[in-house]
Amino acid sequence: MLLVAATALMILFWDSVPVSGWWRRSESVDEARFFGSIAAELRAGASLRMALAAASAGSSDDRLRRAHRLALAGAPLGGISETLSALPRNGARARLALRVAAVTGGRSAAVFERLAERAVDDAALAREQRTLTAQARMSAAVVGALPVVSLLV
């Protein structure tokens, strides 16, 4: 009976359980795909502006869609870099890399490849952290639900 009540509470209040969210794709994975796409476009011979536009085309992220519109509209790369600074994990690095690439005009594909590698590493670290703390989070959810379950029983 106690197990049934605890299971019912977990199902009803799943959003408040600290374990929720494990099925969501990491933002770092999206950033890695974005930076990798910029690097590939640059290696293929595209300009920095066109590489940004191509990499952010069709993205579901509002920040990347805005960067796409700005790049196609011919906005200064400084403005686009400010938009990219809002990226959650590597925004500051992306802003700096874009500004340096815009000013120097040199080869920047390697810089964006390194940003993609860093985003992949961040995603792997976040997955490992979630894995290593899963037992403690589930224990906290069970201990937190015990008073409510004991009141119901």
Side-chain angles (χ1 to χ4, degrees), residues 59-136:
S59 175
S60 61
D61 189 341
D62 291 336
R63 297 165 291 227
L64 296 182
R65 283 198 310 257
R66 185 166 190 265
H68 175 74
R69 287 191 308 269
L70 288 171
L72 289 179
L77 289 174
I80 299 171
S81 70
E82 290 303 319
T83 300
L84 292 181
S85 69
L87 291 174
R89 296 265 184 183
N90 295 300
R93 289 178 187 86
R95 185 187 81 226
L96 185 62
L98 185 58
R99 284 186 177 217
V100 168
V103 170
T104 62
R107 293 183 170 182
S108 54
V111 173
F112 286 101
E113 283 176 355
R114 182 63 189 123
L115 280 173
E117 291 171 8
R118 182 180 175 87
V120 168
D121 291 345
D122 284 349
L125 185 62
R127 278 192 307 272
E128 185 177 355
Q129 181 183 18
R130 282 193 309 270
T131 301
L132 293 175
T133 60
Q135 183 179 1

